[in-house]
Amino acid sequence: MSRDGDTPVETDGGTVVDDADSGSGSIGGPIGEAYRSLRENEFSVVIGSALFLVVFPYLLIEGMGMLNESLGDPGIGGYEGLASLVLIYGIIVIGFNLLLGYTELLSFGHAAFFGTAAYSAALLSSTAEISFAGFSATMPGITSPIAMLVFGTALATLLAWPIGFMSIRRSGVYFAVLTLTFGQMLYFFALGPGSGITNGDNGFSDVNVGSLLGMVDFGEPVSQFGALYLPVIGNFEIPFLVSLDYVPIEYVFVAVLFLLALTVANRIVNSPYGLIFEALGENEQRVEFVGLNVFRYKLMAFIISGAFAGMGGALFVMHESFIHPATALYWIQSGDFVIMTVLGGTGSLIGPVFGAFIFEYIANVISGATIPVIGEIGSLWRLILGAVFVFIVWVFPRGAYGALVDLKKFLVRAVESLVWAVRNPSEAPGAFTDWLRGVGRGIATWLRGVGRGVTSRVRGMLSLVGVGGGS
Amino acid sequence: MVLETAVEVVLNGLQQGAIFALLGIGLTIILGTMKFLNLAHGALYLIGGYAGMYVIRETTLSTGYLESIGVTTVGLGLGFAAAMVLVPIFGFVVGLLMERYVAEPFYDRPETDQLLVTFGLALIVQEVVKFLMGGSTFQPATPEQVLGISVGGPIELPIVGNYPQWRLYIVLIALVVIGLTYLVIEKTDFGLVVQAGTQDSEMVRLLGIKINRSYSLVFAMGAALAAFAGLIGVSFQTVSPQIGTEQALIPAFLVLVVGGAGSVVGAIFGGFVLGITIAAMTVLASQWAQIVLYAVAAGVLLFRPEGLFGSAEVGE
């Protein structure tokens, strides 16, 4: 895609069409090539994500705080715990998307794995007396975060195996309902017969999170590591770290695990094994004809996603120090995972994390915001969430992340056609107005679609970014 | 003693089963005919329940947006007979609108998209109700009199002894509605089109039948049945914005999978099987009642995925 100035804008737009995932639109030349190879390199993906994780709490608290102040304090800042919470749900939805987005299996029962891990991690750390069916025991009180994480994840994974084994035999709606029934059985068990273990409707609060590797407590700020004593220089302060007095060690722990989860998922998706997941989502029969054991691969996708949900559940209970059947095991919680994943967009690995962010931000921050006419939003947050969710499913089938990618393409094309027009003044008016007309047509189609079916709306959106005609 | 309990279980089971069946029929004809999965079915139950409560009696609001702007008393106070006419009509209209503006654009999209958009819609309906009327619970809207007949208070039954009279009427009314629905689906031309549509909608279209209009009617009929189930529900159970997700949606899906997608007879059968199961378990081991309910559904799905009365292709 070299841009020597003689390529008309229209045909250049055409080359972007099928390359929906390249994201970079039509940036050409050596810079574009380098950018693309960087995108495809696992190492750079990890480094990029790590850099983002470092600035994420800063952006959330300082950035959103500044925005909040400039808007006259409607209550849309950020807060310390939110960064961890987003990443915890991020881990879950990355795994959930391996199942929903790649293998295309819609589970409505992942709360089972989330809740199992949460309860087992909580129980491991507590010294409570539990009893079930005449058998009673005292919990060991192992408070190491790593032990809690490993124990919770392991139990969730073990549970995912039989549930997956039974559910995978069915597809479509039946699969969704079957996973839901197993999840609900567990929910009602925790609420009723199993309340000797889970403390039932009162919730389980005997969660003790000890220090990490016997060294640092979860609640301590990162900034304490900002001041080092160096032999020659004496006391030395690392400016950035010292300023992070609101980032607790917990965040670092969660962020490292998030990075691990992302790396593992990225490795899976880009391996031949993950390719089979994707192929299963597209056409199960063909995969079977190739001679692969469909059942085994689907089961493995289910178990992996269950393990991710378990990891998230164990981290969640360490974060909240409280767990209740309604927040851990009820089917609405599974529905929340689905909402997050779809909200962000199932088309890419990182997309669902955007959904987790939007979801948690609405739930924890927007719910405290004040808006004109209605005033305090409070419990209305689920209404807003539902509206945002329906809007995104309706208008952006590829989710929020997909919409962002489209927007980026749109902007890249706008800048490029402008640059091209400036470089070629003789042809500029024609070419640029052509492009403008294309944008106009896209907007018009989209607006017309608002009154009609969703297909024309989607077509309008696509032609706006230059996919499938328009300009 | 045992006989007494058994009869009471059957009576309670019939009453719970009647509501389950009403919900299940609606869901199953919509799925069977249009291959459309409606997670907002519980929301229709919720709408029917609140509409029913307001038609039957006047209700005093203590929280919510309506209360905050000075509307403290809502409702028509027309009684149950009027509600039996108005609520299904209201549900029918809501169903028509829903088919036109929510379901139709999604016929060609994957079933997961249908699930997702209706799930979002269910959230919105529930939250709007909570916003307007407050999250508090209301007393059941049990009528004392319907069309001059006294329906409140207990009645002396041969074996059981005293039994709330209204609960018997519920079973009776529901059975009549279920019977009428059955006749419409099984004995009319409209029902024939619907049934043919469940088997092969493309072929029905090729025969020159305007199946799209039937689709709207089927959807609206399903919605009216769900709303009617809501009306019956609130006539003996407490009312809150969560009734749609907690009492209606999941049971409707369980009925669907037990009876088989697309089968009206299956939905009726499944509804009563699950109703009696839960009534029996409530007596035997109430803590395990819900678990056993789900276990029955899971068992059917595992060993007979097409449901007890369903055909294999629908819903896969």
Side-chain angles (χ1 to χ4, degrees):
Chain A
M1 261 191 282
S2 74
R3 296 191 48 75
D4 300 318
D6 55 356
T7 326
V9 175
E10 291 93 300
T11 51
D12 187 48
T15 55
V16 191
V17 171
D18 294 316
D19 205 6
D21 283 331
S22 76
S24 62
S26 46
I27 295 174
I31 297 173
E33 289 298 323
Y35 175 71
R36 266 184 293 281
S37 72
L38 210 59
R39 273 179 63 89
E40 280 153 23
N41 185 327
E42 185 185 67
F43 186 68
S44 61
V45 169
V46 173
I47 294 294
S49 311
L51 287 177
F52 178 76
L53 289 178
V54 170
V55 293
F56 178 50
Y58 184 80
L59 283 177
L60 195 62
I61 293 165
E62 299 288 335
M64 291 312 289
M66 255 146 64
L67 184 67
N68 185 40
E69 268 171 40
S70 66
L71 289 176
D73 195 23
I76 55 158
Y79 72 97
E80 298 158 25
L82 188 61
S84 306
L85 204 57
V86 168
L87 294 191
I88 291 170
Y89 278 108
I91 293 173
I92 298 168
V93 293
I94 286 175
F96 193 78
N97 188 39
L98 283 179
L99 195 65
L100 177 62
Y102 289 88
T103 321
E104 299 213 349
L105 285 169
L106 174 61
S107 160
F108 257 95
H110 262 51
F113 315 125
F114 176 80
T116 301
Y119 274 110
S120 42
L123 283 165
L124 186 76
S125 77
S126 86
T127 47
E129 287 277 338
I130 62 158
S131 63
F132 178 67
F135 171 84
S136 65
T138 309
M139 284 292 106
I142 300 173
T143 61
S144 154
I146 293 173
M148 286 165 79
L149 179 79
V150 170
F151 184 64
T153 312
L155 280 195
T157 315
L158 281 180
L159 181 71
W161 193 80
I163 291 186
F165 185 80
M166 287 186 276
S167 311
I168 288 296
R169 293 152 188 276
R170 307 286 168 247
S171 58
V173 191
Y174 292 132
F175 173 75
V177 176
L178 205 49
T179 48
L180 183 136
T181 53
F182 289 123
Q184 284 292 90
M185 276 194 255
L186 215 58
Y187 164 72
F188 283 110
F189 177 79
L191 211 52
S195 55
I197 304 171
T198 62
N199 207 16
D201 202 20
N202 297 320
F204 192 88
S205 57
D206 192 14
V207 185
N208 310 297
V209 186
S211 55
L212 193 58
L213 297 172
M215 293 191 292
V216 280
D217 274 338
F218 258 26
E220 284 178 39
V222 177
S223 55
Q224 62 167 311
F225 298 100
L228 296 176
Y229 179 78
L230 297 177
V232 184
I233 308 166
N235 275 335
F236 175 74
E237 286 193 345
I238 304 168
F240 182 69
L241 265 184
V242 168
S243 71
L244 289 177
D245 56 344
Y246 45 76
V247 178
I249 293 295
E250 185 207 17
Y251 175 78
V252 180
F253 185 64
V254 172
V256 167
L257 288 167
F258 177 85
L259 204 59
L260 183 74
L262 189 68
T263 313
V264 169
N266 188 44
R267 177 62 68 84
I268 291 173
V269 166
N270 290 316
S271 70
Y273 203 84
L275 209 61
I276 295 168
F277 287 172
E278 216 171 326
L280 276 170
E282 269 162 28
N283 194 329
E284 208 177 304
Q285 251 174 358
R286 280 191 202 164
V287 178
E288 196 157 5
F289 289 158
V290 174
L292 293 165
N293 187 342
V294 167
F295 183 82
R296 220 188 68 196
Y297 284 100
K298 280 166 90 174
L299 180 60
M300 198 36 99
F302 191 87
I303 294 175
I304 291 172
S305 71
F308 276 68
M311 197 165 150
L315 288 173
F316 180 80
V317 83
M318 290 184 226
H319 178 78
E320 300 275 311
S321 295
F322 178 75
I323 199 79
H324 185 274
T327 52
L329 293 161
Y330 194 45
W331 74 273
I332 295 280
Q333 181 66 55
S334 304
D336 286 349
F337 299 154
V338 180
I339 290 188
M340 290 177 199
T341 310
V342 175
L343 212 54
T346 54
S348 66
L349 196 61
I350 201 75
V353 181
F354 280 73
F357 175 75
I358 296 172
F359 188 106
E360 289 306 316
Y361 196 76
I362 292 178
N364 294 291
V365 179
I366 301 286
S367 61
T370 320
I371 50 170
V373 186
I374 294 183
E376 185 104 334
I377 291 172
S379 62
L380 273 179
W381 73 269
R382 262 198 185 270
L383 180 59
I384 293 171
L385 180 78
V388 170
F389 179 60
V390 168
F391 177 77
I392 286 188
V393 174
W394 208 314
V395 182
F396 305 112
R398 287 166 56 214
Y401 185 69
L404 276 182
V405 170
D406 285 349
L407 179 72
K408 197 176 90 186
K409 269 191 225 166
F410 174 75
L411 292 178
V412 166
R413 275 171 53 78
V415 170
E416 279 187 348
S417 54
L418 256 181
V419 169
W420 192 80
V422 171
R423 277 200 200 149
N424 304 276
S426 55
E427 296 167 53
F432 189 63
T433 44
D434 274 356
W435 179 80
L436 267 185
R437 217 174 287 139
V439 171
R441 260 201 301 274
I443 292 174
T445 322
W446 189 80
L447 281 178
R448 237 179 292 134
V450 170
R452 286 202 210 139
V454 71
T455 36
S456 50
R457 207 164 321 174
V458 172
R459 209 174 300 134
M461 279 305 300
L462 292 180
S463 66
L464 207 54
V465 294
V467 182
S471 63
Chain B
M1 189 62 195
V2 176
L3 184 67
E4 221 172 83
T5 316
V7 174
E8 201 168 341
V9 161
V10 170
L11 285 175
N12 288 342
L14 282 178
Q15 167 204 315
Q16 190 61 62
I19 295 180
F20 285 176
L22 283 171
L23 282 166
I25 295 173
L27 196 65
T28 209
I29 57 176
I30 293 172
L31 176 65
T33 321
M34 280 155 272
K35 316 277 178 291
F36 185 79
L37 269 167
N38 189 11
L39 273 186
H41 205 65
L44 293 165
Y45 177 92
L46 174 68
I47 290 172
Y50 269 81
M53 186 171 77
Y54 290 127
V55 175
I56 295 172
R57 64 166 190 221
E58 287 183 354
T59 305
T60 310
L61 298 176
S62 53
T63 55
Y65 181 72
L66 287 181
E67 193 266 345
S68 74
I69 57 165
V71 184
T72 50
T73 310
V74 288
L76 302 169
L78 293 176
F80 194 80
M84 279 208 305
V85 179
L86 293 177
V87 169
I89 293 175
F90 183 59
F92 194 86
V93 173
V94 171
L96 279 181
L97 293 174
M98 217 175 124
E99 199 271 341
R100 175 73 183 75
Y101 292 104
V102 182
E104 209 223 301
F106 281 83
Y107 286 156
D108 296 334
R109 302 228 337 228
E111 62 196 12
T112 43
D113 280 12
Q114 303 173 353
L115 277 179
L116 298 171
V117 81
T118 49
F119 183 52
L121 185 70
L123 273 186
I124 293 177
V125 170
Q126 176 176 323
E127 295 306 314
V128 166
V129 168
K130 200 192 275 176
F131 169 64
L132 290 176
M133 263 75 88
S136 52
T137 55
F138 297 96
Q139 286 302 306
T142 314
E144 286 299 314
Q145 274 198 333
V146 177
L147 298 172
I149 307 166
S150 172
V151 295
I155 189 174
E156 188 76 24
L157 287 183
I159 302 163
V160 189
N162 275 344
Y163 193 80
Q165 195 181 353
W166 175 241
R167 300 194 161 206
L168 294 182
Y169 282 103
I170 287 177
V171 178
L172 193 71
I173 294 167
L175 284 179
V176 170
V177 173
I178 291 168
L180 285 176
T181 314
Y182 177 78
L183 287 179
V184 168
I185 300 284
E186 295 288 326
K187 303 289 176 198
T188 64
D189 284 357
F190 167 70
L192 207 63
V193 173
V194 171
Q195 283 195 22
T198 339
Q199 301 297 323
D200 189 344
S201 60
E202 203 55 41
M203 184 53 81
V204 178
R205 212 176 301 233
L206 287 175
L207 288 172
I209 294 163
K210 282 182 185 151
I211 201 164
N212 283 16
R213 193 188 297 159
S214 308
Y215 276 3
S216 315
L217 287 179
V218 167
F219 204 103
M221 208 169 110
L225 286 170
F228 194 82
L231 167 67
I232 291 193
V234 302
S235 79
F236 73 101
Q237 285 173 324
T238 52
V239 191
S240 73
Q242 283 84 35
I243 56 173
T245 43
E246 282 176 6
Q247 294 172 12
L249 179 60
I250 303 301
F253 265 89
L254 298 186
V255 169
L256 179 96
V257 298
V258 169
S263 162
V264 175
V265 182
I268 297 169
F269 182 80
F272 285 108
V273 164
L274 293 179
I276 290 177
T277 304
I278 203 164
M281 287 310 297
T282 310
V283 174
L284 294 172
S286 64
Q287 285 204 319
W288 292 86
Q290 292 284 344
I291 301 175
V292 171
L293 187 75
Y294 285 96
V296 168
V300 171
L301 265 173
L302 286 174
F303 296 107
R304 216 183 131 78
E306 68 273 27
L308 299 175
F309 289 85
S311 58
E313 310 99 73
V314 183
E316 275 285 338

